Amino acid sequence: MSDELTFVLVHGAWHGGWCWVRVADRLRAQGHRVLSPTCTGLGERAHLMSRAITLDTFVQDIAGTIAAEELTDVVLVGHSFGGLAISGVAEAMPERLRHLVYLDALIVEPGRSPFDGLAPEVAAARRRAAAESSGGVSLPPPPAAAFGVLDPADAAWLERRMTPHPLGTYESPLPIRGPVGNGLPRTYVDCTTPSYATLDRVKAWVRGQPGWGWRDLATGHDAMVSAPGPLADLLVELGRG
């Protein structure tokens, strides 16, 4: 039996597939297959920004990548906002997935929007920022420090690459009917140092649900930037477990 694993790494808000390069390089060096697609309207696809982009668009982006590449037995990793997309993919094509990894991820229950999963004052502030920066089309990127990235070189690297995030993905419902994770093996990875307070309500919810694995990682929210080695090792461990 081959030791090779297949990883699909899904980025969070304001990021793109580019943010995974340090983790992807380490996984490939170990002989694993790695894809890190960019969702519509972000990164190198920023020219596709539109009011019409919804959470379902992101689910289709990732499911389409898995289908087009004919991937099976996938370890599907969703960071932050990317946790919503992997929940959708878990319902759309469970037979292709091996393990779901929710990396300091936002989670909402079926039919609820991402804004429903955030504190009301956070949602209101983000709507105001979208209105002021783009007429309500997109959310401007926050500073890298908001994600616990304090190293000046890393912060500069992030801030020159992050792009506005489509507001419609925050306002649209998660397009699934069944439970989050669809009964698949799944693990929540809590980035603890520093903790990203925006996700406190999500983490409390996960801890009250049956069937979830839980791991701590002593780094900030953007673990793929601040701790790529420990993160890569953990993903391999979870994929083999």
Side-chain angles (χ1 to χ4, degrees):
M1 177 179 174
S2 173
D3 287 334
E4 178 187 17
L5 295 168
T6 298
F7 294 93
V8 174
L9 310 176
V10 184
H11 62 84
W14 303 290
H15 292 54
W18 53 265
C19 74
W20 292 102
V21 61
R22 299 174 184 180
V23 172
D25 284 350
R26 286 166 168 80
L27 293 173
R28 291 184 183 119
Q30 296 179 37
H32 304 299
R33 186 175 185 187
V34 185
L35 285 85
S36 56
T38 295
C39 292
T40 304
L42 291 148
E44 72 276 14
R45 306 181 71 198
H47 61 288
L48 299 175
M49 177 62 72
S50 165
R51 292 180 185 273
I53 299 171
T54 66
L55 194 50
D56 189 55
T57 310
F58 281 14
V59 173
Q60 291 181 52
D61 287 334
I62 306 308
T65 296
I66 292 171
E69 296 290 340
E70 299 185 336
L71 304 180
T72 58
D73 213 24
V74 173
V75 180
L76 183 58
V77 183
H79 172 246
S80 197
F81 197 87
L84 301 164
I86 74 170
S87 293
V89 175
E91 182 162 290
M93 47 175 54
E95 72 284 354
R96 292 177 179 261
L97 306 180
R98 177 186 183 93
H99 199 110
L100 302 173
V101 181
Y102 289 82
L103 175 61
D104 227 31
L106 180 59
I107 295 173
V108 298
E109 294 183 80
R112 292 172 62 82
S113 75
F115 273 153
D116 292 331
L118 298 177
E121 61 273 18
V122 173
R126 291 188 178 183
R127 285 192 173 100
R128 283 196 302 272
E132 292 167 1
S133 67
S134 64
V137 175
S138 61
L139 289 162
F147 303 127
V149 178
L150 304 179
D151 177 85
D154 287 345
W157 183 73
L158 272 177
E159 288 174 1
R160 70 174 179 262
R161 285 172 169 261
M162 288 193 291
T163 54
H165 186 93
L167 182 66
T169 62
Y170 272 94
E171 297 182 320
S172 52
L174 178 64
I176 66 173
R177 297 185 182 87
V180 172
N182 198 22
L184 293 165
R186 57 199 180 278
T187 301
Y188 196 97
V189 178
D190 182 10
C191 297
T192 62
T193 314
S195 180
Y196 189 47
T198 302
L199 296 171
D200 286 350
R201 293 176 10 153
V202 170
K203 293 172 184 179
W205 178 87
V206 172
R207 285 189 178 278
Q209 302 300 308
W212 285 78
W214 185 277
R215 300 295 292 271
D216 291 334
L217 193 60
T219 191
H221 182 61
D222 266 20
M224 73 289 297
V225 177
S226 56
L231 177 56
D233 291 345
L234 177 58
L235 294 181
V236 171
E237 180 187 339
L238 293 173
R240 287 184 173 153

